[in-house]
Amino acid sequence: MTVHDILNESTKSLEAVAIPSARLDAEVLLSFCLGCDRLEFYKNSDMTISETKLAAFRNLIARRIKWEPVAYITGRKEFWSFTVEVNSSVLIPRPDTEVIVEETINICGKIDSSEIKILDIGTGSGAIALALAKEISQAKVMATDISPAALNQAKKNACAMQMDNKIDFRHGNLFEPVEGVFDIIVCNPPYISTKDYEELPAGVRDYEPAIALLAGKKGTEFYEKLIYQAIDHLEKNGWLLMEIGAKQEKTVREIIEESGFYDSVEMRRDYAGLPRVMRARRK
Ligand SMILES: C[S@@+](CC[C@H](N)C(=O)[O-])C[C@H]1O[C@@H](n2cnc3c(N)ncnc32)[C@H](O)[C@@H]1O
């Protein structure tokens, strides 16, 4: 079979189970399987594929037909300006999460200090912590996760990027493994309610770790703990930045304001125009 034929065949198989990005996914998986760039397909669409490669590729497509995310199949995902290794113990980092990185960099640009202490709670693959350690030269980063498997993957990613000496990884629940105070605390917490969890696309619900997504009946339970516990770990005028779900701005703002410990509460939208990051300053 030629590249052209196999791409058409696999796109149809993926469309048949309503995978929204069928053609793109087929191309990404074929390029992963053949170890070449997608551009090569357009230049060489008549190129034939060996039986062994064809069997391996069909195996990948069979996994995608069951809605396994492409990133888990290839074991990697681009985030910010780098690629992280992912497995089923970590949430696949989303492009929207780059907004919290941008906001943190903006805040750091206004801090005149030779060292900026940053804490990333629930680091998952390490995506946010790695981006901040990479971009902010004065950053001293600590990153935590309740999942030992996620933390192992984050450490592996840090080693691969030669950043392991810039990030202090700690295992535990919220602030339990953390001592000291920070200039900035960032967190992309679990924020899906029990009801919304059932309605997530199969590729998310059946494959990504529930502990990274589920936050209780209302979906805002994690914020309640985070906002109150962060008070003891923020410098005066230190910032708390949290990713939020599109419908959570009002509730998260109320939790922050009711605590009475923060000012300068602001929301930043993502590039789709949806509420994405809340930030607040410790009084
Ligand atoms: C939404 S994921 C975010 C992962 C990563 N920061 C990102 O943005 O791609 C939430 C992460 O928080 C971790 N987590 C859940 N509950 C936690 C807790 N009580 N304490 C610390 N980490 C927790 C999960 O294991 C998961 O890695």
Side-chain angles (χ1 to χ4, degrees):
M1 277 181 107
T2 64
V3 162
H4 176 264
D5 297 335
I6 188 66
L7 277 177
N8 281 347
E9 179 198 272
S10 48
T11 303
K12 277 192 197 126
S13 310
L14 296 176
E15 280 171 351
V17 292
I19 300 277
S21 48
R23 176 74 188 195
L24 175 66
D25 291 0
E27 288 181 8
V28 170
L29 292 174
L30 188 59
S31 94
F32 172 71
C33 188
L34 300 182
C36 70
D37 203 84
R38 274 170 58 220
L39 196 63
E40 296 286 315
F41 303 154
Y42 297 105
K43 287 199 242 152
N44 303 303
S45 62
D46 291 336
M47 184 175 75
T48 52
I49 299 170
S50 72
E51 282 303 316
T52 323
K53 289 281 181 196
L54 195 58
F57 174 66
R58 285 200 168 126
N59 196 23
L60 304 184
I61 291 292
R63 288 169 67 182
R64 186 64 186 132
I65 283 173
K66 292 184 192 147
W67 280 72
E68 183 172 351
V70 171
Y72 287 152
I73 300 175
T74 61
R76 60 194 191 206
K77 177 73 184 174
E78 290 75 35
F79 182 79
W80 197 248
S81 59
F82 50 87
T83 301
V84 285
E85 196 179 289
V86 292
N87 62 40
S88 57
S89 66
V90 298
L91 186 95
I92 299 164
R94 309 296 204 264
D96 290 336
T97 298
E98 293 179 2
V99 175
I100 202 169
V101 175
E102 287 174 5
E103 278 298 292
T104 309
I105 293 171
N106 286 343
I107 290 175
C108 287
K110 293 176 196 139
I111 301 177
D112 183 18
S113 170
S114 58
E115 184 179 274
I116 303 176
K117 287 172 282 165
I118 301 176
L119 172 63
D120 175 22
I121 294 274
T123 198
S125 63
I128 298 174
L130 286 164
L132 297 177
K134 186 167 185 275
E135 300 297 336
I136 303 162
S137 56
Q138 320 96 296
K140 191 170 174 239
V141 183
M142 184 183 284
T144 75
D145 208 288
I146 199 164
S147 154
L151 209 61
N152 276 342
Q153 187 56 62
K155 285 183 193 165
K156 237 177 128 188
N157 285 329
C159 283
M161 289 172 67
Q162 277 114 44
M163 302 276 239
D164 42 323
N165 58 345
K166 283 199 82 180
I167 305 175
D168 178 2
F169 289 102
R170 305 272 179 110
H171 170 241
N173 182 12
L174 274 157
F175 291 89
E176 262 170 28
V178 175
E179 67 271 345
V181 286
F182 295 81
D183 301 295
I184 298 175
I185 297 174
V186 293
C187 182
N188 174 17
Y191 56 72
I192 310 287
S193 69
T194 326
K195 182 174 169 287
D196 288 348
Y197 184 74
E198 293 310 316
E199 284 153 27
L200 285 174
V204 178
R205 193 194 52 228
D206 297 347
Y207 289 93
E208 299 203 67
I211 197 162
L213 297 162
L214 258 174
K217 200 157 180 259
K218 293 177 287 179
T220 47
E221 285 82 343
F222 200 97
Y223 296 107
E224 288 163 16
K225 295 183 200 150
L226 182 70
I227 289 163
Y228 279 89
Q229 292 184 27
I231 293 164
D232 292 333
H233 293 278
L234 274 171
E235 294 278 9
K236 185 170 181 294
N237 292 329
W239 290 93
L240 172 63
L241 292 98
M242 299 165 289
E243 180 162 321
I244 57 167
K247 293 185 223 143
Q248 292 174 322
E249 180 190 356
K250 186 169 171 284
T251 312
V252 174
R253 188 180 283 275
E254 280 167 8
I255 302 168
I256 296 171
E257 287 174 349
E258 274 166 23
S259 80
F261 281 92
Y262 299 90
D263 60 19
S264 303
V265 187
E266 277 170 39
M267 182 274 292
R268 160 90 201 264
R269 290 177 190 274
D270 61 24
Y271 291 98
L274 299 171
R276 185 57 60 192
V277 171
M278 288 295 285
R279 69 177 206 189
R281 194 173 58 182
R282 172 80 164 92
K283 282 187 197 165

